[in-house]
């Protein structure tokens, strides 16, 4: 019952924080911005819903087709590998062919991946995982790139981006919970493949709305893909803040995706203490709902902290707390309640991480190669997840790795903060009597 009771407590906290942000933080009265906000969120949340609809029943569908555990692992590794290799290339097309076009391509590719789920054939399912991996890279790069570019092009206050990303995370969490419920209803009535059909419908609707409501915007469309990748790597190399953001994203999301694969056995006492295969003894649906509400709380906290400080500053302790929260299974193995509380704390940090990272990338990544840089960030991320999936690490070692990743991310955030403080310091003006060529200007007393 602790998982059910926790859900209601978290909902209460989430509602109070949301109401506080509505009263303490003045709302934007600009109708043009409100319309722009609705236009973006409608398309983005439909795309996110298409992704969330597929998550709960992928494993169950593969099992129902008679796939072995090894085959299922191969399919998951293929998805991350596709995102790392093909997704980086296709996602980088956004700067050249247009960010809106790339978002529509996301809907098409992911819909085709849903079609493959109707076939109980390993290689057809493999094609679906490859398409899904490419689509995932687009989801996490093109949508943000379109938003930042369009926001700046319309002349809106740059500080409003943080609020926009915070609202997107809040809506994404609501969509995740709703999609989980809808997916369960359709799976119970029509079988495990039904949620994928619903996902395809949502993605098609998203594409249609994007065509009629979004403008097209580009990076530097005059260069080819190879040059765009080279320019993106130069930007990462020349600006250490961008390099740090890439490191932070790879490490934090690497820990997060690993956590997604490990929280079930970590919360199952039999698996923790004896290493046995986890038994279905925990309410996965309630726990998932707890995690999503915790993410919503983190999103609201980000919006509140943004009023008093900058993400460069307040994200430093957030990463440190995240590292401590994932270390609980290391020091308290088998203790279900403390581990659960640690995981909830981590999810709050996740809710703060998403809008913070999007805000910082929008601030520092150059517009010309924005989508390409975003996809380059995902290369080491996918390498981390694939490396962990291919190894037969024990649970304690896995969480040690995750905590270590987050501690390094904390150090990288400290570096970002130091660089930001240094770059914000005003440079001392040159003495008035010295010209650019070093010669002495005539002063009043000289005249």
């Amino acid at each position: 019952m602790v998982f059910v009771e926790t859900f209601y407590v978290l909902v209460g906290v989430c509602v109070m924080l949301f109401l506080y942000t509505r009263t303490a933080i003045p709302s934007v009265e600009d109708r043009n911005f409100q319309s722009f906000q609705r236009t973006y969120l409608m398309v983005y949340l439909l795309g996110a819903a298409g992704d969330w609809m597929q998550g709960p029943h992928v494993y169950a569908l593969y099992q129902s087709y008679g796939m072995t555990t090894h085959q299922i692992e191969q399919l998951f590794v293929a998805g991350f590998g596709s995102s790392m290799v093909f997704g980086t290339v296709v996602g980088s097309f956004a700067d050249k062919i247009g960010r809106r076009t790339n978002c529509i391509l996301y809907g098409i590719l992911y819909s085709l991946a849903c079609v493959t789920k109707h076939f109980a054939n390993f290689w057809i399912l493999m094609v679906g995982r490859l398409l899904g991996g490419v689509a995932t890279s687009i989801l996490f790069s093109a949508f943000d790139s379109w938003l930042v570019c369009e926001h700046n092009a319309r002349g809106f206050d740059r500080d409003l981006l943080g609020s926009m990303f915070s609202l997107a995370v809040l809506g994404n969490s609501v969509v995740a919970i709703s999609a989980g419920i809808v997916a369960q209803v359709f799976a119970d009535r029509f079988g495990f493949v039904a949620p994928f059909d619903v996902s395809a419908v949502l993605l098609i609707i998203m594409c249609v709305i994007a065509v009629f409501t979004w403008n097209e915007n580009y990076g530097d469309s005059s260069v080819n893909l190879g040059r765009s990748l080279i320019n993106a790597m130069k930007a990462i190399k020349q600006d250490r803040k961008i390099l740090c953001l890439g490191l932070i994203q790879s490490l934090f999301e690497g820990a997060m995706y690993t956590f997604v694969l490990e929280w079930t056995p970590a919360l199952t006492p039999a698996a923790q203490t004896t290493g046995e295969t986890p038994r279905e003894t925990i309410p996965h649906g309630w726990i998932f709902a707890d995690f999503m509400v915790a993410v919503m709380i983190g999103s609201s906290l980000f919006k509140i902290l943004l009023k008093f400080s900058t993400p460069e500053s307040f994200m430093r302790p957030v990463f440190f707390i995240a590292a401590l929260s994932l270390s609980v299974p290391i020091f308290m193995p088998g203790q279900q309640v403390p581990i659960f509380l640690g995981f909830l704390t981590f999810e709050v940090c996740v809710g703060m991480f998403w809008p913070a990272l999007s805000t910082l990338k929008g601030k520092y990544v150059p517009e010309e190669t924005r989508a390409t840089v975003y996809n380059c960030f995902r290369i080491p991320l996918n390498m981390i997840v694939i490396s962990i999936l291919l190894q037969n690490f024990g649970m304690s070692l896995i969480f040690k790795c995750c905590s270590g990743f987050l501690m390094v991310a904390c150090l990288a955030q400290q570096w970002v903060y130091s660089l930001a403080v240094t770059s914000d310091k005003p440079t001392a003006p040159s003495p008035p009597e010295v010209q650019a060529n070093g010669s002495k200007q005539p002063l009043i007393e000289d005249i």
Side-chain angles (χ1 to χ4, degrees):
M1 290 298 295
V2 66
F3 303 111
V4 180
E5 294 168 353
T6 300
F7 175 77
Y8 293 112
V9 172
L10 291 173
V11 169
V13 173
C14 185
V15 170
M16 288 190 292
L17 284 174
F18 179 75
L19 294 176
Y20 174 77
T21 58
R22 293 290 295 262
T23 56
I25 301 175
S27 59
V28 181
E29 302 298 335
D30 187 343
R31 291 187 177 181
N32 290 329
F33 178 77
Q34 292 175 349
S35 175
F36 170 66
Q37 189 177 59
R38 288 192 297 269
T39 300
Y40 170 73
L41 290 176
M42 184 183 303
V43 174
Y44 168 71
L45 293 179
L46 279 171
D51 182 44
W52 283 115
M53 283 293 299
Q54 302 182 41
H57 297 94
V58 176
Y59 200 98
L61 179 68
Y62 291 158
Q63 282 185 323
S64 69
Y65 285 156
M67 300 293 163
T68 65
T69 302
H70 180 63
Q71 287 176 317
I72 295 175
E73 290 174 351
Q74 287 179 316
L75 290 170
F76 276 103
V77 170
F80 285 105
S82 172
S83 180
M84 179 177 66
V85 179
F86 304 113
T88 302
V89 176
V90 176
S92 300
F93 284 153
D95 289 323
K96 185 171 181 62
I97 68 174
R99 279 76 181 262
R100 184 189 68 172
T101 300
N102 220 24
C103 292
I104 294 171
L105 180 62
Y106 157 78
I108 295 172
L109 292 177
Y110 226 177
S111 297
L112 293 175
C114 292
V115 173
T116 65
K117 299 300 189 292
H118 283 270
F119 300 90
N121 180 281
F122 176 80
W123 294 109
I124 295 178
L125 293 174
M126 177 65 75
V127 171
R129 290 299 299 177
L130 296 177
L131 293 173
V134 175
T136 301
S137 287
I138 298 175
L139 174 63
F140 289 106
S141 59
F143 286 84
D144 280 9
S145 298
W146 182 91
L147 172 62
V148 174
C149 181
E150 195 68 18
H151 181 97
N152 294 333
R154 298 191 185 197
F156 296 128
D157 187 348
R158 196 175 186 87
D159 293 337
L160 294 176
L161 264 180
S163 297
M164 177 77 93
F165 284 124
S166 175
L167 190 59
V169 172
L170 190 68
N172 191 28
S173 300
V174 174
V175 165
I177 297 173
S178 304
I181 296 172
V182 173
Q184 189 62 57
V185 171
F186 274 84
D188 291 340
R189 292 188 178 184
F190 306 106
F192 290 135
V193 77
F196 297 92
D197 295 334
V198 178
S199 173
V201 172
L202 292 174
L203 293 168
I204 292 171
I205 295 173
M206 181 214 77
C207 292
V208 174
I209 295 176
V211 168
F212 290 102
T213 62
W214 279 22
N215 299 324
E216 186 62 278
N217 60 52
Y218 304 86
D220 188 353
S221 58
S222 63
V223 300
N224 57 34
L225 178 61
R227 175 54 58 181
S228 180
L229 288 170
I230 293 173
N231 291 342
M233 297 307 296
K234 283 183 178 179
I236 295 172
K237 181 179 179 181
Q238 293 172 357
D239 191 335
R240 288 178 293 176
K241 293 189 290 294
I242 300 178
L243 175 64
C244 288
L245 291 177
L247 181 63
I248 290 169
Q249 177 174 345
S250 298
L251 292 171
F252 190 95
E253 293 188 26
M256 182 184 69
Y257 286 122
T258 304
F259 164 79
V260 169
L261 299 173
E262 294 296 326
W263 68 260
T264 295
L267 289 174
T268 305
Q272 271 280 1
T273 55
T274 66
E276 298 175 0
T277 301
R279 298 191 299 269
E280 294 294 327
T281 58
I282 56 175
H284 293 81
W286 282 105
I287 295 174
F288 177 77
D290 291 336
F291 289 164
M292 290 300 101
V293 178
V295 171
M296 296 168 66
I297 291 174
S299 174
S300 295
L301 288 175
F302 169 82
K303 197 171 183 179
I304 294 171
L305 290 174
L306 200 61
K307 181 181 178 182
F308 304 101
S309 184
T310 63
E312 290 93 339
S313 177
F314 66 71
M315 285 305 294
R316 294 175 295 167
V318 170
F319 289 129
F320 182 74
I321 293 171
L324 294 181
S325 67
L326 289 192
S327 67
V328 177
I330 303 171
F331 299 105
M332 306 181 71
Q335 301 297 314
Q336 190 181 63
V337 173
I339 292 174
F340 177 58
L341 294 177
F343 288 173
L344 287 177
T345 304
F346 176 71
E347 291 289 359
V348 172
C349 295
V350 171
M352 300 179 70
F353 165 78
W354 285 119
L357 181 70
S358 296
T359 302
L360 292 174
K361 290 193 298 186
K363 182 177 181 180
Y364 294 119
V365 177
E367 189 62 54
E368 296 78 12
T369 57
R370 182 177 300 280
T372 307
V373 170
Y374 286 8
N375 280 283
C376 288
F377 287 172
R378 296 188 63 81
I379 295 176
L381 157 65
N382 287 294
M383 290 179 65
I384 289 173
V385 178
I386 290 173
S387 299
I388 292 178
L389 281 175
L390 292 177
Q391 304 298 322
N392 190 24
F393 291 145
M395 189 181 303
S396 178
L397 180 56
I398 289 176
F399 280 104
K400 286 178 182 177
C401 291
C402 292
S403 295
F405 294 158
L406 295 171
M407 287 301 298
V408 177
C410 179
L411 296 176
Q413 184 63 38
Q414 173 61 38
W415 194 7
V416 171
Y417 174 74
S418 301
L419 293 171
V421 170
T422 302
S423 62
D424 289 341
K425 287 182 179 179
T427 56
S430 300
E433 69 275 13
V434 179
Q435 297 179 349
N437 60 6
S439 61
K440 188 174 186 294
Q441 293 180 351
L443 301 179
I444 295 178
E445 52 268 31
D446 295 332
I447 297 175

